[in-house]
Amino acid sequence: MKKKIVVLTGAGMSVESGLRTFRDADGLWEEYPVQQVATHEGWEADPTLVTNFYNMLRKKCWSVKPNEGHKLVAALEKQYEVTVVTQNVDNLHEQAGSSKVIHLHGELMKVCSSRDMDDPRYQQTLTPDNCEIVPGTKAGDGSLLRPFIVFFGEAVPMISAAAEEAQTADIFIIIGTSLNVYPAAGLIHYVRQGVPVYLIDPNPVSAGSGVKQIQKGASEGMRELIKILLPVSSD
């Protein structure tokens, strides 16, 4: 039976692909106040602004490609059972070939009912040549189509599934996150005692004792870690 790896990824995972983070000094929140584009109150106040903001993000996302870090995470499936738990809303893990991805904060490439975002009947997956939603477009239940994004202050429905994965991990890897955003940051506490935990981030991260930090970017850090985890097929 294959050992199980659970990989938790944050915004730093996709930086090398050309996607700006939200929180850094030059991040998107500098241009677009979070209260306006990433809260339920912002959606209620100006759904057109929110719709156009995510249209813009979608077009940007389709213009970039997975980086080497994404591809090396996917390559772990050669010898391990791998679950990726990501705070990112892009689909770069899927594009790189990861077969099991849990999106904690929603999926940029989907839209849904604004009455019940979890009703699968009204969820739509958008494509590169049809990635914009005209403001005012309605879902099948008559409500406005909204981004399939977990806004600030909303419940994170996939956190329970992610916690269950963390509890059964034989190896736990964290990439590109400062571990400051909850509830995702709390997943490390579900990892069983004695399970190896690796953290890849160019910045120092306070992650507790026993965590082996590789202080490098996602791609360079994964190249180093892959030599440890896939010594036979590190090419």
Side-chain angles (χ1 to χ4, degrees):
M1 181 180 292
K2 290 182 177 180
K3 285 189 173 182
K4 180 173 182 175
I5 291 179
V6 175
V7 186
L8 172 64
T9 67
M13 185 81 229
S14 297
V15 166
E16 293 172 36
S17 292
L19 293 181
R20 291 163 62 191
T21 64
F22 286 93
R23 290 179 173 78
D24 287 346
D26 62 344
L28 285 167
W29 295 149
E30 293 290 317
E31 296 178 33
Y32 302 92
V34 60
Q35 292 295 331
Q36 292 183 11
V37 297
T39 65
H40 183 73
E41 292 76 16
W43 167 259
E44 292 286 338
D46 195 343
T48 295
L49 173 68
V50 176
T51 297
N52 286 332
F53 173 74
Y54 289 97
N55 282 340
M56 178 271 293
L57 288 187
R58 235 175 262 120
K59 285 191 288 186
K60 174 62 176 175
C61 191
W62 279 121
S63 73
V64 302
K65 300 295 182 185
N67 60 56
E68 186 182 2
H70 290 108
K71 294 173 183 175
L72 290 175
V73 168
L76 291 173
E77 295 188 17
K78 294 175 184 176
Q79 292 187 20
Y80 295 91
E81 177 190 345
V82 181
T83 298
V84 176
V85 178
T86 185
Q87 299 172 74
N88 300 335
V89 296
D90 61 58
N91 64 353
L92 293 176
H93 279 298
E94 288 91 340
Q95 287 190 51
S98 288
S99 60
K100 185 175 182 181
V101 183
I102 296 174
H103 285 269
L104 292 178
H105 297 157
E107 298 179 60
L108 183 60
M109 299 309 162
K110 291 183 179 180
V111 289
C112 59
S113 158
S114 54
R115 184 173 299 147
D116 181 4
M117 68 178 294
D118 296 316
D119 190 330
R121 294 176 297 173
Y122 307 120
Q123 294 171 0
Q124 299 178 31
T125 300
L126 304 177
T127 59
D129 54 359
N130 181 30
C131 65
E132 290 191 63
I133 295 297
V134 177
T137 303
K138 293 185 177 180
D141 62 357
S143 70
L144 288 177
L145 275 178
R146 63 162 270 182
F148 188 65
I149 299 293
V150 177
F151 291 147
F152 283 93
E154 293 182 331
V156 180
M158 296 305 294
I159 193 65
S160 295
E164 289 177 9
E165 295 291 336
Q167 286 176 323
T168 58
D170 297 306
I171 300 169
F172 194 74
I173 302 171
I174 304 163
I175 308 172
T177 174
S178 61
L179 293 179
N180 287 326
V181 178
Y182 284 84
L187 290 173
I188 193 172
H189 301 302
Y190 288 88
V191 179
R192 290 168 298 157
Q193 189 171 2
V195 167
V197 178
Y198 299 92
L199 190 151
I200 297 171
D201 197 277
N203 302 307
V205 177
S206 178
S209 61
V211 176
K212 303 174 183 68
Q213 180 164 5
I214 299 172
Q215 203 166 329
K216 296 178 179 178
S219 294
E220 190 178 1
M222 275 303 299
R223 281 199 298 272
E224 185 171 319
L225 184 55
I226 213 88
K227 292 174 183 177
I228 300 170
L229 300 179
L230 298 180
V232 176
S233 56
S234 57
D235 58 343

